Amino acid sequence: MKKLCTLLFCVGIATLCLGQQKSKNTTRPNIILLFADDAGYADFGFQGSKEMITPNLDKLAAEGVRFTQAYVTHPTCGPSRAGLITGKSQYRFGYEENNVPSFMSAVSAFDGAEMGLPIEEKTMGEYLQEVGYATAIYGKWHLGGADRFHPTKRGFDEFYGFRGGARSYFEYTDEPAEPLNKMERGFANFEEHKGYLTDALAENATVFIEKNAKANKPFFAFLSFNAVHTPMDAKPEDMNKFPELEGKRKIVAAMTLALDRATGTIMNKLKELGIEDNTIVIFTNDNGGPSDKNASNNLPLSGIKSTHLEGGIRIPFLMKYPKKIKPNSTYNYPISTFDLLPTFFVAAGGNSKDLIDLDGVDLLPYINGQNTKRPHETLFWKRDARAAIRKGDWKLIRFPDRPAELFHITKDERELNNLASEEPERYKEMYKELFAWETTLERPRWLLKKVYERNDVERMDKFWPAHN
């Protein structure tokens, strides 16, 4: 009898533990990251656009918080993604140069597909796997083409997308010129999508979402869209929605409409499954829009992609977390995309003490007013001789071909009024702090031809009213 009681007690405890684990899974939030590519700062309804049609993203903004001073860690695709996915400044591990340049010539260090996110750097997917999350990425990877850099070896259970940086939005019928831009399901299972790629990515992601929701398993879905990066591909029926627009501006509007439609596909699936109230949804972008390439609009900010002006590094950023974040609110202190990893990990039940050597912070205490300080007093950006530091409300930009300039960003977000001569001590202190930070960094793992640096400086001046 005593043995029977003991057995029943053990069974009861085990059942209770399983029940608690199941309960924990139902209360831990699912996480969805909607990540656009090369979108303009002003190119959404929630950012004030009167041209773009973005009802689903506008609704997301109304249901969550909009960050008015959100920054990327770098103004181009590859390094920006490296900072996002590791929760730290990618400059610290030498990921400084533009993109993994498998398509460019005359690089130093490693070549082609051998360049990528160092395998010793822990990713967002790996952190979330450790706390029991199913993880998947859909779309653009762009963090290394070699097999050892593959998403399924870097913390993602599932992958449907392409390893490279840009590809057609329509199905390839022949081999693409760049092999890394073939669509791949899992690892080395090449399978072209059907229909328009932006739609296909969202549709594939809903299968993952539904599978894990029905299995009562918390999940992280990273929709890494290539929209609205070139090539300028759009569905004719989408372009027909913008009769007043012409040329590339008409095409980018149609591509943005498809991006918004994909957002609606995801949000509708969450509602259908009854899990929208227990899902964190983030929408943001990898860098400023390259207005000279895809007709994106970064106004009122100066600058474009590849520059350290606000138009190159400040991005649209939305976060919805029902019952945790006040709807239709704004957050006005500077944040960075490297804050997403710690924010997700802590929300997922992870111990913040396990977040070692990161630069990002958990944003929720700041958003909710539990911590009234700034998440970051200082932020840095760099590429070769060009660099920038934002300290409080001040920003200093260093150039390779002229003296550095100083701006009071909250009063001059267009960076038109250089205050270097009026604030000589601040100018000197920030310049020295920028250099001191640089001395702590790893050397770049690869370099491009200097002609690309010259091109970026010329593009900066073209899209900076203070210098043209």
Side-chain angles (χ1 to χ4, degrees), residues 3-155:
K3 289 184 178 180
L4 178 60
C5 290
T6 301
L7 178 61
L8 290 174
F9 175 78
C10 292
V11 170
I13 291 296
T15 302
L16 177 63
C17 290
L18 287 172
Q20 288 177 336
Q21 181 63 42
K22 183 175 181 180
S23 175
K24 187 177 181 181
N25 286 350
T26 59
T27 56
R28 288 193 294 168
N30 305 302
I31 303 168
I32 295 176
L33 174 55
L34 306 171
F35 201 54
D37 191 352
D38 280 8
Y41 184 75
D43 281 342
F44 302 94
F46 66 85
Q47 291 286 89
S49 177
K50 303 300 182 184
E51 292 180 328
M52 299 297 180
I53 302 174
T54 56
N56 293 296
L57 287 166
D58 298 346
K59 182 181 179 185
L60 181 62
E63 294 174 339
V65 59
R66 181 173 66 89
F67 295 81
T68 61
Q69 296 189 69
Y71 289 97
V72 287
T73 63
H74 192 84
T76 54
C77 303
S80 173
R81 282 170 166 74
L84 165 84
I85 209 164
T86 61
K88 63 195 291 187
S89 174
Q90 69 285 345
Y91 308 113
R92 292 171 54 207
F93 50 85
Y95 209 128
E96 175 184 320
E97 193 53 271
N98 258 11
N99 299 321
V100 175
S102 59
F103 55 91
M104 295 178 178
S105 60
V107 300
S108 61
F110 299 108
D111 288 322
E114 295 305 307
M115 293 177 284
L117 182 70
I119 57 175
E120 61 270 20
E121 297 299 331
K122 192 172 179 179
T123 72
M124 181 183 287
E126 289 169 318
Y127 273 104
L128 290 172
Q129 281 181 333
E130 288 179 358
V131 291
Y133 274 60
T135 60
I137 180 170
Y138 297 89
K140 175 174 172 174
W141 177 238
H142 210 202
L143 289 171
D147 288 350
R148 68 179 180 280
F149 301 129
H150 195 270
T152 59
K153 299 183 180 182
R154 306 306 302 272

Side-chain angles (χ1 to χ4, degrees), residues 244-459:
E244 72 286 1
L245 300 180
E246 298 179 348
K248 288 185 178 180
R249 189 62 182 163
K250 185 186 191 79
I251 301 173
V252 79
M255 296 168 76
T256 304
L257 176 62
L259 179 65
D260 184 80
R261 181 171 60 243
T263 299
T265 298
I266 298 298
M267 301 307 290
N268 289 339
K269 177 57 67 172
L270 297 178
K271 185 174 183 179
E272 174 194 321
L273 295 169
I275 59 174
E276 61 177 339
D277 286 343
N278 191 40
T279 302
I280 299 172
V281 181
I282 298 278
F283 172 79
T284 189
N285 187 42
D286 66 343
N287 46 247
S291 305
D292 54 346
K293 306 293 184 182
N294 68 357
S296 50
N297 181 0
N298 295 317
L299 292 176
L301 309 177
S302 296
I304 59 172
K305 175 181 179 178
S306 299
T307 77
H308 293 136
L309 295 168
E310 293 291 285
I313 57 178
R314 195 191 294 194
I315 49 168
F317 197 115
L318 304 174
M319 181 176 185
K320 176 186 176 182
Y321 191 177
K323 301 178 182 177
K324 299 287 186 178
I325 292 178
K326 183 180 178 181
N328 201 28
S329 58
T330 58
Y331 187 79
N332 299 316
Y333 280 145
I335 66 159
S336 174
T337 47
F338 58 38
D339 294 324
L340 287 178
L341 188 156
T343 301
F344 292 166
F345 184 72
V346 174
N351 189 333
S352 60
K353 293 180 180 178
D354 294 333
L355 296 170
I356 301 171
D357 194 33
L358 300 190
D359 295 301
V361 300
D362 175 14
L363 290 173
L364 281 176
Y366 296 93
I367 299 168
N368 293 329
Q370 296 169 268
N371 190 331
T372 58
K373 295 180 180 179
R374 293 172 179 258
H376 304 283
E377 181 62 26
T378 310
L379 293 170
F380 300 95
W381 300 267
K382 174 177 169 56
R383 184 189 170 195
D384 207 323
R386 287 187 291 139
I389 172 177
R390 172 158 179 173
K391 188 174 183 65
D393 291 332
W394 292 84
K395 179 180 173 187
L396 181 141
I397 309 179
R398 192 184 68 199
F399 309 96
D401 62 342
R402 70 199 74 170
E405 299 190 19
L406 179 68
F407 305 96
H408 194 290
I409 288 298
T410 54
K411 295 180 180 179
D412 179 25
E413 65 180 6
R414 296 199 73 191
E415 297 162 294
L416 302 179
N417 186 20
N418 177 16
L419 300 175
S421 62
E422 297 177 29
E423 295 275 348
E425 289 305 313
R426 187 188 304 275
Y427 178 89
K428 184 189 301 183
E429 289 173 7
M430 290 180 66
Y431 198 106
K432 291 177 71 174
E433 185 173 352
L434 177 57
F435 176 72
W437 168 75
E438 287 179 301
T439 63
T440 69
L441 306 178
E442 292 288 338
R443 290 190 178 276
R445 290 173 176 261
W446 55 82
L447 295 169
L448 304 184
K449 282 183 175 180
K450 291 296 184 180
V451 65
Y452 296 109
E453 180 72 357
R454 184 190 70 195
N455 291 345
D456 283 346
V457 172
E458 292 173 351
R459 293 171 72 203

